[in-house]
Amino acid sequence: MGVVTAVCRNEEYTFTKPSRESITLLAGLGVEGDVHQGVTVKHRSRVAQDPTQPNLRQVHLMHAELFDELAEKGYAVEPGQIGENVTTRGIDLLGLPTGTVLRLGAEAVVEVTGLRNPCVQIDDFASGLLKEVVGRGADGELVRRAGIMSIVLVGGVVRPGDEIRVELPAQPHRPLEKV
C-alpha cells in the first residue's frame, strides 16, 4: 500500500504543474481543469501526429522516491515540477504491469497504461536531468524512470495523504512500455 504525497494540475501548457490541496479525476477524461484532460491526446507532439489518438496519458503519476534519488545527485525537484499530476510514496510504480488498477483515496480509480516517455524539456528545467531519468540498463535496454501514465476509470477527489491500493491484473502480466 502507498500514499499520495502531492497532487498537481495546470490549465496551461507549461512544463511544471502547481501543487494543489486536491484534484478531481473525471472518468474517461483525466484531471479536471488540467490542460491534458480529454478523451483524445492533448500532448502537443501527439496531437501533431494524430489528434484522434486515444488519450492514454490522462493522469501522470511519479514516485517521490525518484526525487530522493535525484536530490542525492544534486537536483532539487519538488512535486509537479517535472509535470506529474500525482506524486506517490511506497509503491514501485515502474515495476507495475500494464493494466494495474490503482485506487486513489476513497473514490478515484485509475488504470496504468504505460511509462512516461520524458522529453528534452526536462533538461530545460535542470541541465543534465534527462540523463538521470532515462538511461540504459545492464542489458543495453532503454530505461525510463520518469513515472507512469494512466486513464481514469472512476472519478473522484484525490488529496495528499490519501491511501493508494494496488490491484494487479490477471496473469500473464505485460511489462510497461512507453505511451
Side-chain angles (χ1 to χ4, degrees), residues 43 56-57 59-60 111-116 147-150 179:
H43 289 76
L56 301 178
R57 300 167 56 106
V59 181
H60 176 198
E111 180 181 331
V112 177
T113 56
L115 295 167
R116 176 190 187 190
I148 62 172
M149 307 307 284
S150 65
V179 293

Side-chain angles (χ1 to χ4, degrees), residues 9-12 20 24 26 30-37:
R9 71 171 166 77
N10 199 340
E11 302 85 7
E12 300 175 16
R20 309 290 181 160
T24 301
L26 302 174
V31 179
E32 182 177 45
D34 192 82
V35 70
H36 295 117
Q37 172 191 330

Side-chain angles (χ1 to χ4, degrees), residues 12-178:
E12 300 175 16
Y13 278 108
T14 62
F15 186 66
T16 61
K17 295 181 186 272
S19 288
R20 309 290 181 160
E21 289 183 15
S22 68
I23 57 173
T24 301
L25 303 187
L26 302 174
L29 295 173
V31 179
E32 182 177 45
D34 192 82
V35 70
H36 295 117
Q37 172 191 330
V39 173
T40 56
V41 292
K42 301 301 175 196
H43 289 76
R44 290 176 174 167
S45 63
R46 292 165 193 273
V47 169
Q49 291 173 358
D50 177 3
T52 66
Q53 293 176 76
N55 187 1
L56 301 178
R57 300 167 56 106
Q58 294 175 358
V59 181
H60 176 198
L61 296 97
M62 181 87 67
H63 48 299
E65 292 85 353
L66 177 63
F67 300 156
D68 299 341
E69 291 175 34
L70 294 173
E72 290 175 9
K73 295 181 179 188
Y75 295 95
V77 181
E78 298 293 325
Q81 287 186 316
I82 52 178
E84 80 278 7
N85 300 111
V86 177
T87 309
T88 69
R89 186 168 290 281
I91 297 175
D92 177 12
L93 294 179
L94 303 178
L96 297 173
T98 301
T100 298
V101 169
L102 300 175
R103 296 185 177 277
L104 308 172
E107 306 167 318
V109 180
V110 301
E111 180 181 331
V112 177
T113 56
L115 295 167
R116 176 190 187 190
N117 190 32
C119 66
V120 295
Q121 285 184 310
I122 288 179
D123 271 347
D124 293 340
F125 172 74
S127 182
L129 189 57
L130 182 59
K131 72 177 173 48
E132 298 298 334
V133 298
V134 178
R136 297 268 175 203
D139 58 1
E141 287 283 323
L142 193 62
V143 176
R144 294 173 178 87
R145 302 182 333 124
I148 62 172
M149 307 307 284
S150 65
I151 57 172
V152 182
L153 300 179
V154 178
V157 176
V158 181
R159 294 177 178 85
D162 281 351
E163 185 178 279
I164 303 170
R165 294 171 311 288
V166 177
E167 297 175 8
L168 297 175
Q171 296 276 2
H173 290 164
R174 292 179 297 129
L176 296 176
E177 297 178 4
K178 74 174 183 168

